[in-house]
Amino acid sequence: IIRFMSIMQPIKNIKYIFFDIYGTLAGFYPAREQIQKKILSKNGIFLSEDQITFGYKFADEYMAYQKQNKPLRSLTSEEKKDFFSNYQLKIIESNKIFIDKKFAWKIWQEISKEKYELRIFDDVLENLKSLSDLGFKFAGITNMDIRGDLLIKNLGLENSLEFIVTSLESGSEKPDSKIFLESIRRANISAFESMYVGDQIESDYLGSQKIGMVPVLIDRYKYHEDFSGIKIKNLDEIKKLF
């Protein structure tokens, strides 16, 4: 049985706010919708950026499911080919366009050659500063396969986050409890003294809730309009929780 917390009064006793990274604090630049649109058009498939965003909802759910069952870093070359072919198919087929897996793999290979970088969203620094002034500390928890200190440096968050625990370092993928428990251990707090903000229901919201953290869903792309738990649309709304 899935139980979502609903917010009835301001949340108290929080010392640390943990954040997911991709989709919560940072996104691709150029936007992945722009890259997809460019390569899809080149291959005779014409979707708007809104349609591609819609498709990514299903692709990202597929990604989260894969990571919690078998991390991408553990896949063989053939398994990765199969996974990313299916990932690309999710984006396209959700918009009622059907192609074969071989064509999907060709498209994904072209997309993978495009240059992009991970950048923090515009609402991150200002809101972290405001929350820091209220006495909160921050850290990250992510399934990304990179060292946490490198990720902090790459994102320019050295003055904002205390640390980032990654799946590479913890040997655990959200929603497994191990990565969350390692994070609160490093922060030297109890789970109930922490909040976790992420964009995935299964891996972020339910995973953090399971160990006693206060879970918050951030729904930047309006994927979860009917979600009944604690939800914010962007980081500008986080202050209303306290």
Side-chain angles (χ1 to χ4, degrees), residues 20-113:
D20 170 48
I21 301 301
Y22 179 73
T24 299
L25 293 187
F28 288 131
Y29 181 84
R32 57 185 184 170
E33 286 84 358
Q34 294 175 6
I35 295 173
Q36 280 278 347
K37 185 176 180 180
K38 172 185 172 182
I39 301 302
L40 288 175
S41 298
K42 182 180 172 183
N43 283 276
I45 298 173
F46 302 98
L47 294 175
S48 68
E49 290 187 16
D50 285 344
Q51 287 176 308
I52 293 168
T53 295
F54 176 75
Y56 265 119
K57 175 182 187 295
F58 303 96
D60 287 345
E61 287 173 352
Y62 176 62
M63 174 78 78
Y65 176 80
Q66 174 63 49
K67 285 186 173 182
Q68 71 185 68
N69 285 278
K70 187 176 183 180
L72 298 184
R73 64 180 180 275
S74 301
L75 300 181
T76 65
S77 296
E78 278 303 308
E79 287 173 333
K80 286 181 180 177
K81 178 179 178 181
D82 186 66
F83 171 78
F84 284 110
S85 298
N86 287 327
Y87 184 85
Q88 185 63 47
L89 283 173
K90 297 282 185 186
I91 298 168
I92 298 171
E93 291 184 348
S94 63
N95 286 288
K96 310 301 182 186
I97 296 174
F98 300 96
I99 61 174
D100 62 43
K101 189 179 286 189
K102 186 176 180 180
F103 189 23
W105 174 241
K106 173 183 178 294
I107 292 171
W108 181 257
Q109 284 181 300
E110 292 180 27
I111 286 171
S112 300
K113 293 175 183 175

